């Protein structure tokens, strides 16, 4: 190989190497911001989760029990004992797999609400954690209207909601919910990960008629979509905590099942 040919080969190799580095740099995306629970204003605490001492959230959603699909529609309690969290606002959460609640179901929930308050807790109300399909919102609204009518006047009603409600929900069904529930907590995660493409759902949130929080999973990716935090109904975030081998106050928890 002549000297000129050798130099040309070396130059081409250098160019190819530089091009590869440039391409790799173009393809490398910056890490998306991750959700940190330490500064959260509200958190979800499911059984089996022991929040770290540095978590100072003022509002806490605590799972009390489930109304399961199998057997009778009764409340299956998942907690041992009564929480005692002075200085925080609590929501008693019931995870529901069915809506054919009986008088006994509602009585058990109201009894727990009363016990939590009697222990000195500030309890805002009841949250129903039910994955209502967008097409079934009218039926869900009817269930919630009946439930709301049976609650004491000083017990507020919160529900979890799917992002799809804002994009494809029937405006009439959403209006029914607006007249019944005090807030919707919109879930943005599946198990331990943020649902991809969440920005597209929030782009259609302009006419959402109900006060809402946005639920984020601890450690998940999140970048607030444009206009979300200035929405007139936006009430902040709630971070879903993942498991830790720790204690928090006098609350002890057992196991956790992801919703959404």
């Amino acid at each position: 190989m002549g000297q000129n040919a050798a130099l040309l080969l070396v130059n081409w190799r250098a160019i190819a190497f530089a091009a590869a580095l440039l391409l790799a740099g173009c393809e490398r995306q910056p890490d998306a911001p991750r959700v940190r629970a330490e500064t959260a204003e509200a958190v979800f605490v499911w059984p089996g989760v022991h929040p770290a001492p540095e978590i100072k959230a003022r509002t806490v959603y605590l799972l009390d029990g489930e109304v399961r699909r199998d057997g009778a529609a009764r409340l299956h309690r998942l907690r041992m004992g009564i929480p005692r969290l002075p200085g925080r606002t609590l929501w008693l959460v019931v995870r529901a797999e069915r809506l054919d609640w009986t008088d006994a179901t509602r009585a058990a929930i109201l009894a727990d609400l009363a016990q939590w308050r009697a222990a000195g807790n500030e309890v805002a109300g009841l949250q129903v954690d039910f994955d209502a399909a967008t097409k079934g919102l009218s039926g869900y609204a009817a269930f919630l209207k009946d439930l709301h009518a049976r609650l004491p006047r000083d017990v507020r009603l919160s529900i979890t909601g799917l992002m799809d409600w804002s994009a494809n929900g029937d405006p009439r069904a959403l209006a029914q919910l607006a007249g019944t529930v005090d807030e919707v907590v919109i879930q943005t995660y599946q198990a331990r990960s943020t649902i991809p493409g969440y920005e597209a759902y929030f782009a259609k949130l302009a006419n959402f008629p109900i006060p809402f929080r946005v639920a984020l999973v601890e450690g998940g990716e999140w970048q607030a979509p444009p206009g979300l935090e200035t929405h007139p109904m936006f009430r902040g975030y709630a971070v879903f905590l993942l498991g830790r081998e720790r204690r928090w106050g006098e609350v002890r928890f057992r196991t956790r099942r992801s919703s959404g």
Side-chain angles (χ1 to χ4, degrees):
M1 180 182 295
Q3 184 177 6
N4 290 339
L7 289 174
L8 183 62
L9 179 59
V10 170
N11 288 339
W12 272 113
R13 286 177 176 171
I15 293 170
F17 182 70
L21 288 177
L22 180 62
L23 180 61
C26 292
E27 291 179 347
R28 187 182 299 117
Q29 300 296 324
D31 292 336
R34 296 284 175 170
V35 176
R36 296 174 57 86
E38 290 82 357
T39 58
E41 61 216 43
V43 292
F44 282 94
V45 182
W46 254 226
V49 175
H50 308 288
E54 60 267 22
I55 294 175
K56 307 296 184 183
R58 177 71 176 81
T59 300
V60 184
Y61 296 84
L62 287 176
L63 180 63
D64 182 46
E66 298 177 336
V67 182
R68 296 173 180 166
R69 184 176 293 107
D70 58 313
R74 68 181 184 87
L75 178 66
H76 294 262
R77 292 183 174 89
L78 300 176
R79 305 192 69 261
M80 298 295 292
I82 299 170
R84 290 176 174 81
L85 290 172
R88 291 181 167 89
T89 299
L90 307 186
W91 287 87
L92 185 152
V93 182
V94 173
R95 170 69 181 155
E97 296 179 348
R98 58 198 291 178
L99 299 179
D100 57 337
W101 293 11
T102 65
D103 290 342
T105 310
R106 291 183 287 268
I109 294 169
L110 291 177
D112 286 358
L113 278 165
Q115 289 181 343
W116 286 23
R117 284 180 166 175
N121 297 298
E122 178 188 338
V123 183
L126 166 68
Q127 181 180 85
V128 179
D129 180 9
F130 177 71
D131 297 334
T134 304
K135 292 182 178 179
L137 277 178
S138 293
Y140 189 37
F143 163 82
L144 292 169
K145 183 177 181 179
D146 177 72
L147 176 62
H148 184 268
R150 298 169 184 268
L151 295 176
R153 289 191 176 184
D154 62 345
V155 174
R156 299 167 64 199
L157 181 58
S158 170
I159 60 174
T160 58
L162 306 181
M163 290 189 292
D164 189 58
W165 291 6
S166 62
N168 300 306
D170 181 349
R172 293 170 296 182
L174 291 174
Q176 285 180 281
L177 289 176
T180 301
V181 303
D182 294 286
E183 69 167 15
V184 176
V185 182
I186 300 174
Q187 297 170 301
T188 65
Y189 54 88
Q190 184 76 27
R192 291 173 172 260
S193 302
T194 303
I195 297 171
Y198 61 84
E199 301 90 347
Y201 292 100
F202 285 104
K204 300 180 180 180
L205 197 70
N207 297 318
F208 197 72
I210 311 165
F212 68 91
R213 288 184 184 269
V214 175
L216 310 174
V217 64
E218 182 180 10
E221 297 181 1
W222 178 257
Q223 181 68 54
L228 170 63
E229 295 179 354
T230 58
H231 193 291
M233 293 294 180
F234 179 69
R235 300 294 184 266
Y237 296 102
V239 175
F240 192 95
L241 301 183
L242 301 179
R244 287 187 178 87
E245 295 299 324
R246 301 184 183 180
R247 295 189 60 178
W248 191 29
E250 298 179 30
V251 187
R252 296 299 301 244
F253 305 96
R254 289 170 18 205
T255 57
R256 187 273 161 202
R257 208 175 68 211
S258 296
S259 59

